[in-house]
Every structure is written in structure tokens, then in C-alpha cells.
Amino acid sequence: MTMLTYKEFRGSLEHEDGRWIVQILDIEDTVLDEVTDAAAAQEAFADLVEDYLETCHAAGKEPSRPYEGSHAMRPGR
């Protein structure tokens, strides 16, 4: 898996069944697209993020933001 970034979003590029799949990671929604080759991935990812933000705005929905921060855990006694 290859990691991609655009604005505050992270994404992945994976090769599955002869196809290149670009996906936005770490958000509640599932947003992905297919590209013809790995060289087109970064531009396609940027377009995917922009389209996601525009679609949310048009629908009056707050876009999911990437998960951030840490989670503290206490070991059991």
C-alpha cells in the first residue's frame, strides 16, 4: 500500500485485481476511486478530496475530518 496526502487528508493506493484503487483514509465515509496507473494516483487523490468536500458542502453536511490524537489506555490490575 502506498500512502498519499492532500490537505489534512491521508489516502492509500492499492493494486487489487488488476486495478489501482485510491481511497481517503481515516474518515467515517467510504470515498474511493479507480485510476488507470499509479502515476495518476496523487492527482486523482487530490481530486477525490476536493470532490468529497464539495459534495458535503452542497448537501449541507459537515465533512468527516481525519481522526487525530491518541487514546490512553490503563492496564488492568
Side-chain angles (χ1 to χ4, degrees), residues 15-67:
H15 194 253
E16 298 178 3
D17 301 323
R19 302 176 309 158
W20 290 100
I21 306 297
V22 177
Q23 181 174 4
I24 300 174
L25 300 175
D26 306 324
I27 61 172
E28 294 176 5
D29 302 297
T30 301
V31 181
L32 54 89
D33 197 6
E34 185 175 327
V35 294
T36 55
D37 59 52
Q42 184 60 49
E43 184 177 344
F45 181 66
D47 291 345
L48 195 63
V49 169
E50 290 296 338
D51 184 55
Y52 171 66
L53 294 172
E54 289 171 15
T55 299
C56 288
H57 179 73
K61 175 187 173 199
E62 186 68 28
S64 294
R65 294 295 176 188
Y67 302 124

